[in-house]
Amino acid sequence: MSDTNDDKVRLDKWLWAARFFKTRALAKAAIEGGKVHHRGERCKPGKEPKVGDVYLIRNGFDERSVVVQALSVVRRGAPEAQALYAETPDSVERREQAAAQRKAGALGMQTDGRPSKKQRRQLHQFRDNQE
């Protein structure tokens, strides 16, 4: 079995080889959970990706749109894995904007936990006065 330019590769195996997920089990679970889309539709783990296909992959907060450039069934180093796909420029821009918004929002949204009874009373009084 050749390790690159293989015509028949499962999608979960390709995602694992391209280093989107640490294990094939995680890749399969993500596909079955609807985190991977092709042409706007959910995929199955056994789908065979082809060079030129565009996949939308959600992993945590990130959503990437990638174009398949090469196929591989073997997980190699990161530089070789990055050669298997190319992320679209608008995808990179969306991810950077989302990261900046998360970073800005995280700084302003720090709380000390649940409000105390006194703070809840003050909130209720404030809302009542607004109405």
Side-chain angles (χ1 to χ4, degrees), residues 33-48:
K35 307 284 188 211
V36 180
H37 292 256
H38 176 61
R39 295 185 184 160
E41 295 183 8
R42 292 172 64 162
C43 300
K44 292 185 177 181
K47 179 173 177 43
E48 295 176 1

Side-chain angles (χ1 to χ4, degrees), residues 68-111:
V68 178
Q69 291 191 328
L71 301 175
S72 177
V73 295
V74 178
R75 186 174 170 107
R76 305 250 173 156
E80 293 177 43
Q82 289 174 348
L84 297 178
Y85 65 91
E87 190 171 0
T88 59
D90 60 324
S91 171
V92 173
E93 185 179 329
R94 279 195 320 256
R95 272 192 319 110
E96 288 173 353
Q97 287 177 352
Q101 287 176 350
R102 281 196 310 271
K103 187 175 180 181
L107 296 176
M109 292 295 289
Q110 292 178 350
T111 63

